[in-house]
Structure formats: C-alpha cells, structure tokens
Amino acid sequence: MPDEINPMADMGLIHDKQTILEPQGFLTDCDTVRDLCERFIPQGGKFYDLIDRYGIVTSYVLNRDDQGRGADTVRMVAPFLKAFGATDYDVMRFYQEHLTTTGSAKETIKYFIDVMPTFMDSSMYEHATDALCDKLEIPRGMASSTSLDLSDDACGMTRQECWDLRTMAKEIVELKMPRDKYELDVPLELSSAETRMISALDDIFLNRLSGTAAADMISNTVSVGANEKAYALLDIRKSTQVDLDGTIYVGGDIIDYQVMDLVKDGNGLSLSFNGSEFAVHGANVAVLSKDCTVVAVLAAEFYSTGIQGVFDLVDNWNRDYLKNADCPDRNLMDRMLALNPRKLPEVYRITRGNVGDVAAKSNAFRKRWMYRKKN
C-alpha cells in the first residue's frame, strides 16, 4: 500500500527497521543439537562433529546440491537419537533442564522486541526453541525452527533397524576427524583422512540407509538451512516492507553465511556474534563477547543512524569514546560498559584486509565458548 494512502504510515506507525536472528550461539551459549547427541549417543560430541564436518565439506567444498548447504546435520542425526532411545518427552525435558543462555540474553531480546519487528529463524530443534522461548519469555509465534518427531508412529523403526543404527554410530565415532581447512566455495583436492571419512559416511547415508525408515525420517525432518534462511529473509522483507538497508541479521553459524551476505550487500547490519569463519566472511561487523548487551548497543545505533553510524561507532570502539559518545540509548550503553569493567567486548568492522584474521580469531573464540565443558 503506498504511503500516501496508508493510514498507519500517516500516523508514523510503520517501522523502517527489523531484526532477524539465529538464537543458537547468540541467545544460547551452546550448540543445542551437539549437546543432545552427547546426552543420548556414546561419544555423541565426536559423532555430531563428524557428521557436521561431512555435511559442510560435501556442501561447501564438493558443492553437492543435494546436501542442503550444510543443513543436513540436524536431519542426519535424528534417527540415531531415536535408535538410542530418545523420545520427544526426553528431548523436551533435556532442554528445559540443561539449555543455557548467554549473559543478558533476556534483556537483549526484550530490547529488540520492544523496539522493532523481530524474528527468530533457527536451525535448532523445535524442542530447544520452545525451551528458549519459555526461558526468555519470547512469543513462540515469532520463532521458526527445525521440526523433529521422535514418536513411534512417525519413525516406524524396527528393533533391528535401531540395532543397525547403533552399530553404524559406533563405526562413525571410530573414524578420524579431519583437520584440514578449506576456503568458502573453492573446490580443491581433499586429504586422505577427508576422503576416508566422506567415503564411509556416503556408504552409510547413501547406501546402507537407503529404503529404510531412518532414511524416511531424515527426509521428513523439515530443517532450517542456508537456503531456507535466505527464503525466510525475502518473505519477511515482503511482509514487513522493510528493505535490506533497514535489516539487522545476527548470526554465527556456517549456514548463516548466505543470508548474512545478502544483508551485507543490501547495506543492512550483518552481525556475526562469536561467529564461525564462514559467518564472519558474510558479516560487515563481528563481535566477540560472552554477554550480548553489546549487540543491543549496536542495534540501537543502527536503528537511529543506519549502517554508517554503526561503522563510525565501531571505528571508535574504546572506553573513553563510548563513555562520552552521543549515543541513541545512554542507559543501554552505560549498562554495557558496567557489564564489562575490565575489557570491552571485541568489535570489528569487517574489511577485505582484516576478514581472514578476524574470522580465525572469532572461530577460535566460538569453539572455546560454545564447546567448553559445563559443570
């Protein structure tokens, strides 16, 4: 509806800014699916890491179009969770009791919801999203996530199939984890360890599981991956009428790269929070912090002055400047400074010259922070 005949616009009630975020790694300080695998599957952390590695390499290095651009990990581990006895109730209780959140997550998401249209589009299982919404008092309707149905009716797996899956899981964790690094979308020769890992997992997922109930479960699990995130961005843009230059996207996973790159190219705020290397490559601002109040500070600046205002703030990111800056929300800024009395969160404006260094630093911080042992 054109503004001149839109009564909402005449009253000044149309937003020109919006936020879309991936809560995992931002509002949560853990990898929720990996934690679930550790709970139910022997050596579940390594099991998850190998399948995640397989999905990333086949998608982003081998460029297999059928791999869902890195989204398949949450789908591929699902039948193994079922085979090791996980139920929907178990998963729900696990997240209710063990899902942990980032410092100031509740205050930060409340700020976003109060100020502008806010959407969560997550690769997490819906059970984790439900628990997060309950913990942080987030309206469930603003969040989308990966579906997971572990009921017997939905899975239809026999005892023998469950036994076979448990055997395959043991085979997977016996594989060596490759350590090679690859550039985004740059095909090159794989190492021998990588080749063996891909060959073994190809045999399991493409051959041995073919025609089984487990394969049907993988196919029927509707995941939120890179392509889905990009489509969601375009759908939200269409419904809100807020263009990319008015959009904040907060992410940190590899599957956030595509949507973050779109927002960056559209002059929006594409913010990597403790992001993986690929996420930083899709960002124009990167943050390393154990508390997410800093993201609200940057969002307030973007809401008031746009992307150039954020760049100006980041370029002057020191305590003396921030104490005296003419910022749009002084209380928010003062809270961020008080929460970080000794050292400010690390904030970087991403350029071609520094992206490699910042990406490596952010990725190392992410691994220490999200995969630390929790008491």
Side-chain angles (χ1 to χ4, degrees), residues 178-192:
R179 299 298 179 186
D180 306 86
K181 291 189 175 183
Y182 304 102
E183 295 182 44
L184 183 64
D185 286 329
V186 178
L188 42 79
E189 185 176 352
L190 300 178
S191 68
S192 58

Side-chain angles (χ1 to χ4, degrees), residues 211-224:
T212 68
D216 291 339
M217 185 178 179
I218 292 171
S219 298
N220 293 333
T221 300
V222 181
S223 62
V224 175

